[in-house]
Amino acid sequence: MGLFTFEDENTSTIAPARLYKALVKDADNLIPKAVEAIKTVETVEGNGGPGTIKKLTFVEDGESKYVLHKIEAIDEANWGYNYSIVGGVGLPDTVEKISFEAKLVAGPSGGSVAKITVKYHTKGDVNPSEEELKIGKAKGDALFKAIEGYLLANPGYN
C-alpha cells in the first residue's frame, strides 16, 4: 500500500470552540442545514466515538450518492478530529481509504485556523491524480465555508 500526504489550512473569523462544535459535535444535524447537497448524516455503526461509521447521503449530478466516514479520534480539549473516508463514491478505485487529521487553533482577532493533514492510502504504489486531489480539496473547502457561512448567518448558534 502506498501513502500520499498533503497539508492544508483554512482560516475563519469564527472562534475555535464555536466552529469545533459545529464541525464535530453538531455535524450530523448542522451539515444538512448548511450544505444543500447533503441530505442526511446517519450513524450506521458505533456510539459516536472512535470506530463509529457515519453515512453521508448527498445529491450529485441529480443522483443520490453516499460516502462512509469512520471516526478515528476525537480530541475535544485540543479541538482535534480525525476521520477516514472508507467507502462510497468518495474513494477512487486506486485508493483504500483517505484519512483526515484536523485540528483547530486560535487565529487572528478571535478567529480560527483549521489545519488538516490528508493521507491517501493507495492500493499499490499509485499516487492520486492531480484531478482527484483538486476535487477532494474543493469539496473539503466548500464544506468548511458552508459551515462558516451558516454560523455567520446564525449568530445565536452556540
Side-chain angles (χ1 to χ4, degrees), residues 105-156:
V105 296
S109 305
S112 304
V113 177
K115 297 181 178 210
I116 188 161
T117 301
V118 182
K119 296 179 180 180
Y120 283 75
H121 301 263
T122 61
K123 298 174 183 174
D125 292 330
V126 178
N127 282 337
S129 72
E130 288 296 322
E131 187 65 19
E132 289 168 342
L133 295 174
K134 187 173 153 185
I135 290 169
K137 179 177 175 5
K139 287 180 178 180
D141 290 348
L143 175 65
F144 184 84
K145 290 300 177 188
I147 296 294
E148 179 185 49
Y150 180 89
L151 294 175
L152 290 171
N154 294 279

Side-chain angles (χ1 to χ4, degrees), residues 1-154:
M1 179 187 313
L3 181 64
F4 179 83
T5 302
F6 74 91
E7 295 181 354
D8 196 17
E9 282 190 6
N10 280 299
T11 59
S12 174
T13 59
I14 308 293
R18 187 169 180 240
L19 190 56
Y20 185 83
K21 182 180 180 199
L23 286 168
V24 178
K25 296 173 80 176
D26 293 345
D28 294 4
N29 296 318
L30 194 62
I31 288 175
K33 292 177 186 175
V35 182
E36 186 178 327
I38 297 178
K39 300 305 176 193
T40 60
V41 178
E42 60 187 295
T43 299
V44 295
E45 184 180 309
N47 62 5
T52 296
I53 296 177
K54 295 185 178 198
K55 180 180 181 181
L56 285 77
T57 303
F58 58 96
V59 175
E60 185 176 78
D61 300 326
E63 289 184 52
S64 182
K65 300 178 181 181
Y66 72 93
V67 294
L68 296 175
H69 283 196
K70 180 178 181 184
I71 299 172
E72 305 289 354
I74 299 172
D75 182 358
E76 287 187 47
N78 294 300
W79 302 315
Y81 183 72
N82 300 353
Y83 69 95
S84 297
I85 296 176
V86 295
V89 299
L91 286 178
D93 291 338
T94 58
V95 176
E96 185 76 30
K97 72 177 181 176
I98 305 170
S99 298
F100 301 83
E101 298 172 4
K103 182 176 174 143
L104 292 173
V105 296
S109 305
S112 304
V113 177
K115 297 181 178 210
I116 188 161
T117 301
V118 182
K119 296 179 180 180
Y120 283 75
H121 301 263
T122 61
K123 298 174 183 174
D125 292 330
V126 178
N127 282 337
S129 72
E130 288 296 322
E131 187 65 19
E132 289 168 342
L133 295 174
K134 187 173 153 185
I135 290 169
K137 179 177 175 5
K139 287 180 178 180
D141 290 348
L143 175 65
F144 184 84
K145 290 300 177 188
I147 296 294
E148 179 185 49
Y150 180 89
L151 294 175
L152 290 171
N154 294 279

